[in-house]
Amino acid sequence: SASVAIFLSGGGSNMRALVEDMQGDHPARPCVVLSNVADAGGIAWARERGIATEVVDHRPFGDDRAAFEAALSAALAPHAPDLICLAGFMRKLTGGFTDTWAGRMINIHPSLLPKYRGLHTHARALENGDARHGCSVHEVTAALDDGPILGQASLAVHPDDTPESLAARVLVQEHRLYPAVLRRFVAGDRTPLLLTA
Ligand code: GAR
C-alpha cells in the first residue's frame, strides 16, 4: 500500500480525518506526521496513536528555505513516503521541494480556488459578499495554493456568518473532502471531485 506523510502546523483535524480513513482495505497508510511546530496538537495525537512523528522547526533556518527543505527531506527519508499530504502546514514550499514531489504532494486550502489563495480566506469571502464558499484539495506546485484541483466542497454563506462560523462549517467539509480525494488520488484518479453541503 502507499505510504503517506502528513505535514501540519497546528491542531491537525484534517490529519486526523485522513488517518482515521486510512484503515482496513484503504490503499494507503500514514507513515509519518511531520510538523514545523513542536507543540502542534496534531503531533501529540499522532504520537498517542503510535504513528511516527518528526518535528522540523523552521526558525533556526531563518530565510534559508533551501536549508529548511533539506531538513524536511532528511526527516522524511527514513519513513520512505510515496505521497505527502499537506494538512494545515503553514510554511511556503519552494520549487526545490515541490518539483521533487511533483504529482505526489497534495494540499487542502480553505477556499474555492482559484479564489482566495493565501491567508484569511473566510474573511475575504465574507467581505466580497460571496454566496458560496468552501475548500479545495489540489496538487502542490511551486506557486502558492495553485496546481491542478482534485476536489472541492462548497456550502452556502449565511447572512449572519462571521469568519469563525464560516471556518467551522468549512472545516466539517474539509474532513469530508480530503479523505475522499486521497482515496481517489491513490487510485490514480485526478478528475475533480465536487461535493456540495
Ligand atoms: C484548515 O482549515 C486548512 O484548510 C488550513 O488550515 C486549517 C488547518 O486545520 N490550511 C491553510 O490555510 C493552508 N494555507 P487543522 O490543523 O485542524 O487541519
Side-chain angles (χ1 to χ4, degrees), residues 10-14 87-88 90 108-110 171 174:
S13 69
N14 277 291
M90 302 307 279
I108 188 155
H109 182 74
L171 195 59
E174 294 185 40

Side-chain angles (χ1 to χ4, degrees), residues 55-168:
V55 173
V56 181
D57 187 346
H58 59 282
R59 291 172 303 182
F61 300 100
D63 292 336
D64 192 347
R65 289 189 185 265
F68 172 58
E69 290 170 359
L72 292 178
S73 298
L76 279 182
H79 306 286
D82 299 301
L83 304 173
I84 298 175
C85 289
L86 305 182
F89 183 68
M90 302 307 279
R91 302 303 299 171
K92 290 180 188 167
L93 295 167
T94 73
F97 195 84
T98 62
D99 289 356
T100 300
W101 289 93
R104 299 184 295 148
M105 177 159 55
I106 65 180
N107 178 47
I108 188 155
H109 182 74
S111 77
L112 296 174
L113 292 171
K115 283 187 156 186
Y116 314 129
R117 297 186 169 102
L119 299 176
H120 311 301
T121 57
H122 310 297
R124 288 155 70 198
L126 287 177
E127 278 160 19
N128 283 330
D130 290 357
R132 297 191 73 79
H133 181 52
C135 51
S136 306
V137 176
H138 63 95
E139 290 187 42
V140 178
T141 61
L144 183 68
D145 300 328
D146 202 352
I149 290 172
L150 299 167
Q152 294 187 310
S154 84
L155 50 72
V157 177
H158 299 162
D160 59 351
D161 262 322
T162 62
E164 293 70 30
S165 69
L166 200 46

